[in-house]
């Protein structure tokens, strides 16, 4: 009986030590900068699967390891296309910049503040 009590006490002490070590490790912030990447996608009137493509990009495990910035260039440039892209950004709950293509090479619009993770 004495051996069982000693064994249970050792198990309890070991479990408590493991819990304390995990607590200390989780509190320590290890600085790790992920590589940055920028992906530019051109949206035109012939693009029928932009939503599917963006969902595949954001769900890709390999791209999840990067600090990814997605820029969608709106080649159509109408109010309807801008509103559609903004609605798409809200629908997939991911932030991407919408750039309107013009003679100067593009004018950036705002993002909605969501991060890609």
């Amino acid at each position: 009986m004495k051996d069982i009590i000693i064994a249970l006490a050792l198990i309890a002490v070991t479990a408590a030590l493991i819990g304390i070590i995990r607590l200390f490790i989780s509190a320590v912030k290890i600085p790790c900068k992920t590589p940055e990447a920028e992906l530019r996608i051109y949206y035109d009137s012939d693009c029928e699967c932009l939503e599917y493509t963006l969902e595949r990009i954001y769900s890709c495990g390999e791209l999840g390891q990067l600090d990814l910035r997605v820029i969608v260039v709106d080649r159509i440039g109408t109010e309807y296309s801008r509103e559609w892209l903004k609605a798409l950004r809200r629908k997939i709950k991911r932030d991407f910049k919408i750039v309107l293509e013009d003679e100067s090479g593009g004018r950036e619009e705002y993002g909605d503040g969501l991060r890609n993770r």
Side-chain angles (χ1 to χ4, degrees):
M1 185 67 168
K2 185 178 179 182
D3 293 336
I4 293 175
I5 294 173
I6 293 174
L8 290 175
L10 284 174
I11 291 173
V13 168
T14 304
L17 286 175
I18 290 173
I20 290 171
I21 291 171
R22 283 187 178 179
L23 188 96
F24 283 133
I25 290 174
S26 67
V28 174
K29 303 287 183 185
I30 299 172
C32 179
K33 182 152 175 64
T34 59
E36 295 179 6
E38 181 177 291
L39 178 64
R40 191 172 291 257
I41 300 173
Y42 293 90
Y43 171 64
D44 203 348
S45 59
D46 296 333
C47 295
E48 297 177 359
C49 55
L50 179 66
E51 179 179 350
Y52 175 75
T53 302
L54 286 173
E55 287 177 351
R56 297 279 298 176
I57 287 168
Y58 286 121
S59 66
C60 180
E62 287 79 15
L63 292 177
Q65 302 296 321
L66 302 171
D67 183 14
L68 181 65
R69 286 183 308 276
V70 177
I71 299 172
V72 176
V73 179
D74 184 6
R75 287 186 166 172
I76 301 170
T78 62
E79 185 64 32
Y80 176 75
S81 66
R82 285 190 298 270
E83 291 301 319
W84 186 84
L85 288 170
K86 289 176 187 176
L88 177 63
R89 183 170 47 202
R90 287 188 301 270
K91 180 180 179 183
I92 64 174
K93 296 183 177 110
R94 299 291 185 148
D95 188 26
F96 55 85
K97 288 194 184 296
I98 301 169
V99 177
L100 304 176
E101 187 176 60
D102 59 5
E103 301 83 36
S104 65
R107 173 173 53 93
E108 290 192 15
E109 278 196 8
Y110 63 93
D112 61 0
L114 294 174
R115 290 299 302 161
N116 292 329
R117 296 184 191 259

